[in-house]
Amino acid sequence: MAEELIQERHDAVLLLRLNRPEALNALNIPLRRALAAAISAAADDPDVRAIVVSGGSKIFAAGGDIKEFADHDAPQIMALELQRIWAPIAACPRPIIAAVEGLALGGGAELAMHCDIILAAEDAQFAFPEVRLGILPGAGGTQRLPRAVGKFRAMRYLLTGDRIPASLAAEMGLVSELTPSGQAEAAALALAQKIARMPPLAVRQIKEVVLQGADCALPAALVLERNAHNILFSTEDRKEGVDAFIEKRKPLYRGL
Ligand code: CO8
């Protein structure tokens, strides 16, 4: 059987490509576990400086695997503790870029929203169809969508399951950037390579401060920012960046 999660290294970038074409990349438990394990391993590998999560050229993901959970009742769903599979993605210190072609539905859209940057093909579509199954988005969708696009637009789509075209998603702030159809993965890899060339400690601090600060009151968030800013002044990469600017040469960052 083909691997359900393809892993490729592109220099300092790890590409993770969902590969369940027969089920439109529906996220079954083995695939979710593989994704969580790959991202945990990447977080332990200092040579991985950015991650791309892609569904390939046709579809990002058609959601959670409906067939896998069709007969589950509440205790069975609770026993799965699915939040433990999502946690390593949410906690990953490396930047993660989602490359969305085709559809990102339900758990697929929630997977994209676990990432830090979402690139979407101009003909891609997002939706949260859980309501049509009598449930709700259970992997952060009811919380991350309103934080990304505001309450009133989030409600509009969470309560209907209607599709959000990528252009509207970009306008709403759910998509970072649109790409031509078929080029989301290549564009995500190029962007990830660019981030991978940045000083790793600064990249890590920016990600941490943006994410943690978003959940704090502004004064506390500004303290987080100030402390991270001050700490970065002691790094060798800060010295290298400034020296390279003054000497008019390309910097070589080492993550120190
Ligand atoms: N789960 C499992 N299998 C799926 C899923 C899915 N989410 N989506 C598609 N598939 C399977 C189909 O069953 C079909 O398999 P088979 O050939 O064996 O019948 C194959 O993929 C191809 O699908 P279609 O024939 O339906 O392809 P179409 O091009 O006609 O339609 C769609 C594509 C529009 C994407 C359509 O497949 C669809 O609507 N899929 C479901 C979308 C959805 O509602 N996603 C789930 C949202 S909920 C969620 O993500 C979290 C909770 C999940 C558990 C819920 C349990 C109650």
Side-chain angles (χ1 to χ4, degrees), residues 170-238:
E171 189 193 303
M172 283 165 36
L174 175 59
V175 161
S176 316
E177 207 167 284
L178 296 173
T179 75
S181 183
Q183 290 183 32
E185 186 182 286
L189 273 173
L191 185 58
Q193 304 272 15
K194 186 177 200 174
I195 293 170
R197 288 192 292 274
M198 299 294 157
L201 293 172
V203 166
R204 182 183 295 204
Q205 289 295 313
I206 290 169
K207 172 165 176 168
E208 190 168 76
V209 168
V210 169
L211 294 184
Q212 299 303 318
D215 293 330
C216 297
L218 185 61
L222 291 174
V223 172
L224 283 180
E225 181 193 75
R226 192 167 64 241
N227 288 340
H229 175 259
N230 294 347
I231 286 168
L232 287 172
F233 269 75
S234 304
T235 62
E236 288 186 20
D237 282 346
R238 197 279 303 165

Side-chain angles (χ1 to χ4, degrees), residues 22-24 26 62-67 69 105-107 129-130 133 135 163:
E22 72 287 356
L24 307 183
D65 192 312
I66 298 172
K67 294 170 187 165
F69 298 127
L105 304 180
E130 286 87 342
L133 300 172
I135 54 174
R163 302 245 178 115

Side-chain angles (χ1 to χ4, degrees), residues 20-255:
R20 288 191 77 208
E22 72 287 356
L24 307 183
N25 288 341
L27 300 162
N28 61 2
I29 301 276
L31 179 53
R32 292 181 203 212
R33 289 211 169 106
L35 196 55
I39 287 179
S40 292
D44 284 335
D45 182 348
D47 293 335
V48 174
R49 294 194 178 176
I51 300 168
V52 171
V53 176
S54 157
S57 59
K58 296 197 171 67
I59 186 163
F60 186 69
D65 192 312
I66 298 172
K67 294 170 187 165
E68 188 177 40
F69 298 127
D71 297 328
H72 278 46
D73 58 18
Q76 285 171 306
I77 286 285
M78 287 164 75
L80 285 172
E81 298 195 322
L82 293 173
Q83 71 280 4
R84 293 176 58 214
I85 309 182
W86 290 102
I89 308 176
C92 179
R94 305 284 184 279
I96 310 180
I97 304 178
V100 177
E101 295 279 351
L103 299 170
L105 304 180
E110 289 176 301
L111 171 59
M113 287 198 298
H114 273 72
C115 300
D116 303 301
I117 295 173
I118 302 179
L119 298 193
E122 56 202 4
D123 55 355
Q125 293 181 313
F126 295 76
F128 300 86
E130 286 87 342
V131 65
R132 300 181 183 190
L133 300 172
I135 54 174
L136 56 68
T142 64
Q143 303 308 308
R144 290 196 177 94
L145 187 65
R147 281 166 170 77
V149 307
K151 168 186 159 183
F152 299 105
R153 283 190 136 160
M155 288 287 195
R156 162 71 184 81
Y157 292 98
L158 290 170
L159 294 174
T160 59
D162 284 350
R163 302 245 178 115
I164 311 171
S167 56
L168 177 59
E171 189 193 303
M172 283 165 36
L174 175 59
V175 161
S176 316
E177 207 167 284
L178 296 173
T179 75
S181 183
Q183 290 183 32
E185 186 182 286
L189 273 173
L191 185 58
Q193 304 272 15
K194 186 177 200 174
I195 293 170
R197 288 192 292 274
M198 299 294 157
L201 293 172
V203 166
R204 182 183 295 204
Q205 289 295 313
I206 290 169
K207 172 165 176 168
E208 190 168 76
V209 168
V210 169
L211 294 184
Q212 299 303 318
D215 293 330
C216 297
L218 185 61
L222 291 174
V223 172
L224 283 180
E225 181 193 75
R226 192 167 64 241
N227 288 340
H229 175 259
N230 294 347
I231 286 168
L232 287 172
F233 269 75
S234 304
T235 62
E236 288 186 20
D237 282 346
R238 197 279 303 165
K239 185 173 182 315
E240 169 67 6
V242 173
D243 287 352
F245 172 77
I246 292 168
E247 293 160 17
K248 298 186 189 304
R249 61 173 173 83
K250 273 195 165 180
L252 182 64
Y253 298 118
R254 296 187 301 141

